[in-house]
Amino acid sequence: MAVLKEEYDIVVVGAGHAGCEAALASARLGMKTIMFTVSVDSIALMPCNPNIGGSSKGHLVKELDALGGEMGKNIDKTFIQSRMLNTSKGPAVHSLRAQADKQDYSREMRKTLENTENLTIRQAEVSEIITENGEVKGVKTFSGAEYAARAVVLATGTYLKARCIYGEVCNYTGPNGLQAANHLSESLESNGIPLRRFKTGTPARVDGRSIDYSKMFEQKGDDPIVPFSFSTDPKDIQKEQVSCWLTYTTPETHRIIRENIDRSPLFSGSIKGTGPRYCPSIEDKVVKFPDKEKHQIFIEPEGNYTNEMYLSGMSSSLPEDVQYEMYKTLPGLENVRIVRNAYAIEYDCVNANQIKANLEFKHISGLFSAGQLNGSSGYEEAAAQGLMAGINAARKLQGKESIILDRSQAYIGVLIDDLITKENTEPYRMMTSRAEYRLLLRQDNADLRLSEIGHEVGLIDDERYEYVKYKKKKIAETVERLKNVLIGANQATQTVLAQWGSSSLKTGSNLAELISRPELDYEKLKSLDPEWEDLPQDIIEQINIEIKYEGYIARQEKQVENFKRVEGRLLSEDIDYKSIKGLRLEAGQKLDMFKPRSIGQASRISGVTPADIAVLLIYLSGNK
Ligand SMILES: Cc1cc2nc3c(=O)[nH]c(=O)nc-3n(C[C@H](O)[C@H](O)[C@H](O)COP(=O)(O)OP(=O)(O)OC[C@H]3O[C@@H](n4cnc5c(N)ncnc54)[C@H](O)[C@@H]3O)c2cc1C
């Protein structure tokens, strides 16, 4: 029987948040690319929360944007509410979060993909990877068609052997009733890629007309709105926004859950997959925190096109009759009408210990993996990996070095390093606490940290890069200048300080010292600055942060110097750790399994002690 045969540079399996970024990066870097999905109507689908960003996830989106990715631009075109979170805390944890119109988000991303040169979109289930002598050669679809390629990016998300469960009901489908991908898992396993089962869950969607908002707390969007993308002009996105609403569970909610916990597939054992600790179901929360009187629940709109509302914080897999009972106990939901039941989804994913820092499998050259398939959870985590996998697949074919961001450069570096060196036994979700250098890895300076790399790769154009260079120069010059603008303790100074409720000066000072006071900043001291310049807001923001956090930043930069020293001690992939004298057995086995890239990475593998690192350093100095 004749089969369809086509040839591409790069195949991307998946059109979720990882697949979209990988396919766009690959095509924009000149690779003839084909992207597969089981349904083109589900491109960039948001099967769970209707928002992009939030704590640490906002950082990932800003970094992805600074490198030339698409998610930031796409949400700036399709958001319906935007808020900067954690503004009462320091800039390191300020995080942008935007509510999306889910259908608009998918439609906009599809439009971008469909109008990208070098990119073909195909609705078909990939059922096999084709490999030869440890190299990927392409894929086969369920219809038998063959697509030859020199690199393949797998971004299959929550679809591999997916199973959706609530109560006693189990559907062998992907999210939202979409077709599951039931054939590729065998092919991956027969190519020496072991798989495991993870799970995640989502809350019900309810009819907004059945909600009594007068019993809830309204949460409005910010004014002015801050864009996600550094390429978006803030003036272009100021618009009317929808509200979200806050309500709480009650002791009655908790009683109903406890009384029906035996009917929860999570607790009856019919769900085998491991779920995310930091995105727990309501059942988990009630069982794990029995003393907590109430849990916050946010009611979020799914879009402007529908009355459907998302019950954030109440993901569950309890039977639908129990879902109704428990949702009705929340203030404002007494007459609630469920549109879609809450459910849990189980799916196959890989253990990311078998991939390298460039997201390529260690034992199959040219095969890359990104997103939920790598054991992460979240749109933003997936998109960040998709971008890096797409870039590195293209650079492999271009014969260029891979782009590997380390933990001191980006949250993306922390994300990938944690996925490939830690033993993650549950879906990995990014958090600011995971980034040891988070004061340097702020969302506001992602362009200063990463756009040079994005430009070198070829995804950031000259105009954007020129602006980043200008911005860097202007910040450095201005901070230096402000340190040398001497301010006398005279009447004019005291008047300005009093105007802003700042204590008067006893002796002379300089502008930088004054700006470092919490209640003062570059704009407030305009009248005291003879060379004051009306700079763009994003530059002024950096000047204020650089001056106000100078000491902390300097200390963290010192820590990064130490980090880079051990991170720079690279390790060859050929070292036979088990043969190194003095290395403990467990350490030898772990190092052989992980094949760390550097001494720094070796030191982060659990089971490898500082003593083992000392033995390794002696071995290395002996084996120049
Ligand atoms: C029910 C549910 C609840 C969730 N809850 C949360 C949560 O609470 N918190 C959170 O952070 N994240 C949650 N997520 C996860 C979030 O949706 C994912 O993290 C994100 O969508 C992952 O993006 P991805 O690109 O890796 O995969 P996905 O968005 O899942 O996209 C996978 C793509 O691959 C395609 N595909 C798969 N296999 C094949 C094949 N063999 N051939 C062709 N195409 C294929 C699919 O068609 C799809 O386009 C949830 C997801 C679901 C489904």
Side-chain angles (χ1 to χ4, degrees), residues 14-18 37-38 47-48 124 126 155-159 181 200-201 279 372 377-378 382:
H17 305 280
T37 175
V38 297
C48 188
V126 170
T156 55
T158 56
Y159 287 72
T200 185
C279 231
Q372 197 96 2
S377 188

Side-chain angles (χ1 to χ4, degrees), residues 155-163 181-189 193-199 273 345-351 371-375:
T156 55
T158 56
Y159 287 72
L160 291 191
K161 290 243 170 90
R163 204 165 72 101
N182 289 324
H183 302 92
L184 186 57
S185 296
E186 273 80 19
S187 170
L188 297 180
E189 284 171 328
I193 299 175
L195 298 174
R196 53 194 179 163
R197 293 293 272 175
F198 271 6
K199 84 105 191 159
I345 185 165
E346 249 187 12
Y347 53 93
D348 282 353
C349 62
V350 304
N351 183 334
Q372 197 96 2
L373 178 66
N374 285 346

Side-chain angles (χ1 to χ4, degrees), residues 276-537:
R277 179 198 324 249
Y278 299 108
C279 231
S281 67
I282 188 67
E283 298 96 291
D284 272 330
K285 286 191 252 186
V286 167
V287 170
K288 289 200 180 115
F289 311 103
D291 307 330
K292 203 159 167 23
E293 273 202 15
K294 60 181 181 179
H295 295 277
Q296 281 190 332
I297 305 298
F298 291 94
I299 314 293
E300 302 174 8
E302 291 257 312
N304 286 332
Y305 62 93
T306 174
N307 291 328
E308 264 189 276
M309 301 298 275
Y310 173 91
L311 305 184
S312 176
M314 283 220 61
S315 89
S316 172
S317 53
L318 284 162
E320 63 186 344
D321 57 306
V322 182
Q323 291 189 26
Y324 253 117
E325 234 187 309
M326 73 175 178
Y327 288 139
K328 282 177 184 285
T329 62
L330 274 63
L333 295 186
E334 294 80 359
N335 305 309
V336 72
R337 304 293 320 145
I338 292 179
V339 177
R340 306 176 207 230
N341 287 330
Y343 67 95
I345 185 165
E346 249 187 12
Y347 53 93
D348 282 353
C349 62
V350 304
N351 183 334
N353 305 153
Q354 52 193 308
I355 58 178
K356 298 186 278 189
N358 68 348
L359 297 180
E360 186 179 15
F361 278 90
K362 290 173 181 168
H363 70 292
I364 303 180
S365 166
L367 184 64
F368 294 77
S369 177
Q372 197 96 2
L373 178 66
N374 285 346
S376 67
S377 188
Y379 311 141
E380 304 79 1
E381 288 85 345
Q385 292 167 61
L387 178 70
M388 299 315 290
I391 289 173
N392 287 329
R395 288 177 73 85
K396 183 177 178 81
L397 302 193
Q398 294 164 341
K400 292 180 179 165
E401 270 206 24
S402 293
I403 301 292
I404 293 168
L405 303 170
D406 71 34
R407 304 178 72 89
S408 69
Q409 288 175 290
Y411 272 82
I412 296 176
V414 174
L415 167 66
I416 294 174
D417 188 64
D418 280 352
L419 283 173
I420 66 172
T421 56
K422 291 211 160 68
E423 288 172 38
N424 299 300
T425 54
E426 58 182 71
Y428 175 100
R429 185 200 150 110
M430 182 47 77
M431 296 183 287
T432 49
S433 55
R434 294 189 194 276
E436 52 273 45
Y437 309 116
R438 57 184 163 276
L439 182 56
L440 303 179
L441 306 184
R442 304 182 314 273
Q443 60 167 16
D444 56 67
N445 68 358
D447 57 340
L448 304 173
R449 291 183 279 123
L450 299 171
S451 287
E452 184 174 350
I453 297 173
H455 184 255
E456 193 273 325
V457 162
L459 292 176
I460 293 287
D461 62 27
D462 294 346
E463 188 196 344
R464 248 181 100 176
Y465 183 47
E466 284 311 315
Y467 179 72
V468 171
K469 286 199 287 184
Y470 158 76
K471 185 173 173 180
K472 268 187 187 163
K473 189 161 165 287
K474 196 43 90 176
I475 296 164
E477 283 170 2
T478 310
V479 169
E480 197 46 40
R481 183 181 67 75
L482 292 168
K483 287 179 179 167
N484 298 304
V485 177
L486 303 180
I487 303 291
N490 53 40
Q491 193 44 46
T493 304
Q494 311 302 15
T495 311
V496 172
L497 296 180
Q499 181 194 353
W500 300 111
S502 194
S503 54
S504 60
L505 268 186
K506 304 271 175 304
T507 58
S509 176
N510 66 55
L511 269 180
E513 251 173 43
L514 289 179
I515 289 172
S516 68
R517 293 184 180 186
E519 67 281 7
L520 299 174
D521 63 33
Y522 175 77
E523 285 162 301
K524 288 178 179 165
L525 296 176
K526 177 177 176 177
S527 58
L528 296 179
D529 183 354
E531 295 169 54
W532 193 84
E533 215 182 327
D534 183 10
L535 295 164
Q537 269 309 315

